[in-house]
Amino acid sequence: MADPRSYRPKPGEIPTDPGVYRFRDGHGRVIYVGKAKSLRPRLSSYFQDITALHPRTATMVTTAASVEWTVVRTEVEALQLEYSWIKEFDPRFNVKYRDDKSYPFLAVTMGEQFPRAQVMRGAKRKGTRYFGPYGHAWAIRETLDLLLRVFPVRTCSSGVFKRAAASGRPCLLGYIDKCSAPCVGRVTAEEHRAIADDFCDFMTGNTTRFVKRLETRMRDAAAELDFEQAARLRDDIGALSKALEKQAVVLGDATDADVFALADDDLEAAVQVFHVRGGRIRGQRGWVVEKESEDLPSLVEHLLLQVYGDAERESVPREVLVPFEPSDVDAVTEWLSAVRGSAVSVRVPQRGDKRTLMETVRRNAEQSLARHKVARAGDLTLRSLALQELQDYLELDEAPLRIECYDVSHVQGTNVVASMVVFEDGLARKSEYRRFIVRGAAPAGPGDEPVTVDDTAAMREVLTRRFRRYLEDAEGTGDLDLSTGVVSDGPASGAQGTAESHGGEGGDDGTDSDADPDRPTSGPIDPETGRPRRFAYPPSLVVVDGGLPQVNAAQAVLDELGIEEVALVGLAKRLEEVWLPGLDHPVILPRTSEGLYLLQRLRDEAHRFAITFHRQRRSKAMTTSQLDGIPGLGASRQKALLRHFGSVKRLRQAEAADIMAVPGIGPSLATAIATHLAEGAPPEPAVNLTTGEVLE
């Protein structure tokens, strides 16, 4: 691993002109290519404090052994040279767009003497015009079959073409008039190329003139009483109309645009593009790319560079609609205009049909990213690799088959809750999820304010409760008194069990998952109750959401309880650093590591589960009534009182006898209501909204 200072250029040596730079490793291989409006500030940014760099950039500069640059005249030249070098050297640290599937194209080999229409995949060939991409190859063949009635272009292979020419007899398509049969001389090479040109014009969106031309010929044939020819032309018009119906109309007839959208997470981004020609969606394409930074404008710029780098002028539309403007939008626009040979607009749609279409493309990108992540998570080989990588990088004795991740959620210290999610063998086990209400430290005196709970204290409390219950359930020594933290010999009460944890995914607030005997679970069974012990199965690895402070707090809990068999790490979100207790520096996992991907999935799932529970509690806190907490006064009786008196203010002014006039309110309940409101008592919900403590 090289020190970037060893090859840093001398001060003032780097020019301020636009240019392209290359980083090389110790073997002279180009590992990164970039461009800049001004080379000096851009290259200087790579030689700052390495801890301030993005992890992928930090890895690149420590892998490199030298840097060189080339000065050019304009930013457009820099853009073109950057693309040429990326294509030539294929640097390992440059963003690579790879298709999330192999898309078929309808291709016309205009470079041949007798152009051929066919289905093609893979790399594009020079001299061939491509239309699409299509979702399925059968969609191309179906469209092609319809259009061959009007444009009888050759579709046969070279072998079939040569055999037909040698025998003097065309193939079946030649006999049924779906091929102009240039193989046997029915048309000349020039006439066949004209048919292929018309076919390409129709596919690029110039459809109206062909339909109008056929309609004119049909009317002329009918006027001359040539009804057979008129019928054939009518069928040709029907074939063109049917082919057009297969393509959805989304924008105005004259609109030619490529609409890009993306969805991203911390590691990857999914990109989708809809190709709109003549107002119709002619094709769709998608990529999944590994992100090298959080700079989405640069991501869009590299995307356009690679999509249109080898494109023919007909493939570049008049409009390119993007979710973010490229980092150098003027240079990109000028470059695309030069490729097309006329003006190209690169912009972000703000309203109207184009904005609506971009939202549709964005939803496709989100689904593409979700499918990619599900396929990656469901792959047994990748899951095994992820667990093996965690074992190696974290120096564990064995692969962590059960991993628990904890996250804390609150708003400025109120309604503090935490979540515990469990992954077994790399897959989520939602029946084992738990939710915690964080109580915090009790006030010093009866009139004191509650102590504010920070993330570190909350994490310490949650892990203390979880692992005390683990020791207690595993040893069968009794249950934990939640208010004092003392282990008692008697069975736990239902209220206490509910306060400590709320059961798995989708459970109601306050409902313990142990109440459902049919819920699948792992771990020992309590012989007294016959129910599964919730915390008796220890994790192989504990992951906390946070950096070194959270890790140290969690390790203090494990040390205090004498638990040594459980490994512990923290995942810091900003740079995706993995912190281990007792280390001054984090462990940096490669950005492409399956182990890092698994830790991120755990962290994101714990965050989702915690914030969902927090929103439920916050919503309940915002809708609390002064009538809550009065014994015997449920929701229906509260509604009856409010209907009768109109407001709580009028109810507070009423006597007990007046309250008894409400149906369903007896003397004792009326007295309790009047006393409660007269004393101005605060609401007493089942759970104290400030501390999270359950009130008996």
Side-chain angles (χ1 to χ4, degrees), residues 145-367:
D145 184 65
L146 290 169
L147 296 180
L148 287 179
R149 287 184 55 92
V150 185
F151 309 105
V153 68
R154 169 198 163 206
T155 58
C156 60
S157 65
S158 298
V160 173
F161 186 87
K162 290 177 181 178
R163 284 196 298 271
S167 65
R169 291 179 298 176
C171 63
L172 176 62
L173 292 178
Y175 282 112
I176 62 175
D177 295 330
K178 284 195 172 181
C179 178
S180 56
C183 54
V184 295
R186 287 188 186 174
V187 294
T188 64
E190 292 74 16
E191 291 171 337
H192 184 266
R193 181 168 294 275
I195 295 172
D197 287 335
D198 287 346
F199 176 81
C200 292
D201 285 346
F202 182 86
M203 291 303 300
T204 54
N206 299 325
T207 59
T208 306
R209 69 184 182 93
F210 292 105
V211 175
K212 289 183 177 180
R213 186 172 68 184
L214 289 177
E215 288 176 346
T216 301
R217 290 176 56 192
M218 180 184 68
R219 285 193 292 267
D220 293 343
E224 296 174 1
L225 304 182
D226 189 354
F227 298 116
E228 291 184 0
Q229 177 66 11
R232 281 194 293 270
L233 293 170
R234 177 202 61 198
D235 294 340
D236 290 348
I237 295 172
L240 293 185
S241 301
K242 192 172 182 180
L244 291 173
E245 288 172 1
K246 294 180 179 293
Q247 300 161 342
V249 178
V250 291
L251 299 172
D253 288 343
T255 302
D256 290 345
D258 284 348
V259 186
F260 292 86
L262 62 86
D264 68 314
D265 59 15
D266 295 324
L267 278 180
E268 296 173 310
V271 180
Q272 287 281 317
V273 57
F274 280 11
H275 302 286
V276 180
R277 300 295 183 269
R280 298 174 182 270
I281 298 177
R282 301 288 182 175
Q284 174 186 0
R285 199 176 183 187
W287 300 267
V288 177
V289 59
E290 296 170 0
K291 291 171 59 179
E292 64 175 356
S293 70
E294 301 298 324
D295 187 9
L296 294 179
S298 294
L299 193 70
V300 171
E301 180 176 307
H302 287 118
L303 170 67
L304 299 182
L305 192 66
Q306 295 194 32
V307 170
Y308 298 114
D310 288 328
E312 298 180 0
R313 57 180 301 173
E314 297 85 357
S315 300
V316 182
R318 287 192 291 266
E319 286 184 280
V320 177
L321 306 179
V322 291
F324 305 95
E325 279 195 348
S327 53
D328 194 351
V329 63
D330 294 334
V332 172
T333 302
E334 186 177 346
W335 173 68
L336 287 176
S337 300
V339 174
R340 176 180 168 82
S342 60
V344 175
S345 170
V346 180
R347 63 187 184 88
V348 180
Q350 301 295 331
R351 62 184 68 84
D353 293 339
K354 294 177 181 177
R355 181 66 185 181
T356 302
L357 180 58
M358 176 163 284
E359 289 299 315
T360 301
V361 183
R362 182 186 57 79
R363 288 194 295 271
N364 278 267
E366 291 174 348
Q367 293 174 6

Side-chain angles (χ1 to χ4, degrees), residues 612-655:
T612 300
F613 186 37
H614 169 73
R615 286 170 178 166
Q616 292 175 0
R617 303 228 346 118
R618 187 176 62 190
S619 177
K620 289 187 177 182
M622 295 173 66
T623 57
T624 301
S625 168
Q626 291 185 3
L627 300 178
D628 292 341
I630 301 176
L633 187 63
S636 59
R637 288 177 176 173
Q638 286 185 20
K639 291 179 181 178
L641 285 169
L642 292 175
R643 277 197 303 267
H644 184 83
F645 290 99
S647 66
V648 176
K649 182 179 180 180
R650 293 182 180 178
L651 177 60
R652 183 181 291 110
Q653 297 170 353
E655 301 291 338

Side-chain angles (χ1 to χ4, degrees), residues 12-185:
E13 184 179 357
I14 308 174
T16 57
D17 301 313
V20 184
Y21 53 91
R22 293 178 289 186
F23 281 87
R24 294 182 181 268
D25 62 10
H27 301 284
R29 291 172 297 193
V30 176
I31 61 173
Y32 185 75
V33 174
K35 70 168 183 63
K37 293 181 181 179
S38 177
L39 286 168
R40 182 177 296 173
R42 175 63 59 83
L43 285 176
S44 298
S45 68
Y46 289 101
F47 298 98
Q48 58 179 306
D49 183 5
I50 197 169
T51 59
L53 296 175
H54 188 275
R56 185 181 177 97
T57 306
T59 304
M60 187 272 292
V61 297
T62 53
T63 304
S66 63
V67 61
E68 57 191 35
W69 56 85
T70 300
V71 175
V72 295
R73 292 178 300 173
T74 65
E75 298 166 22
V76 177
E77 287 184 11
L79 197 68
Q80 294 170 336
L81 183 58
E82 179 192 26
Y83 173 74
S84 299
W85 279 357
I86 289 175
K87 185 178 178 182
E88 177 182 354
F89 298 113
D90 191 22
R92 55 179 290 201
F93 285 99
N94 279 92
V95 174
K96 294 181 176 63
Y97 289 85
R98 55 184 189 274
D99 286 353
D100 55 2
K101 61 175 123 176
S102 179
Y103 288 96
F105 287 81
L106 172 55
V108 183
T109 57
M110 299 300 292
E112 299 182 6
Q113 182 183 9
F114 298 99
R116 174 192 175 193
Q118 60 181 318
V119 178
M120 274 193 180
R121 298 178 186 265
K124 294 186 176 180
R125 304 173 186 174
K126 190 174 182 179
T128 300
R129 296 191 62 178
Y130 292 87
F131 305 97
Y134 288 75
H136 303 279
W138 57 260
I140 300 179
R141 296 187 180 96
E142 192 174 87
T143 301
L144 189 57
D145 184 65
L146 290 169
L147 296 180
L148 287 179
R149 287 184 55 92
V150 185
F151 309 105
V153 68
R154 169 198 163 206
T155 58
C156 60
S157 65
S158 298
V160 173
F161 186 87
K162 290 177 181 178
R163 284 196 298 271
S167 65
R169 291 179 298 176
C171 63
L172 176 62
L173 292 178
Y175 282 112
I176 62 175
D177 295 330
K178 284 195 172 181
C179 178
S180 56
C183 54
V184 295

Side-chain angles (χ1 to χ4, degrees), residues 386-406:
L387 296 176
Q388 184 62 47
E389 286 183 352
L390 289 181
Q391 179 183 353
D392 295 339
Y393 283 114
L394 304 181
E395 299 180 356
L396 305 177
D397 294 334
E398 57 184 16
L401 299 182
R402 177 183 171 99
I403 308 176
E404 294 179 1
C405 184
Y406 296 83

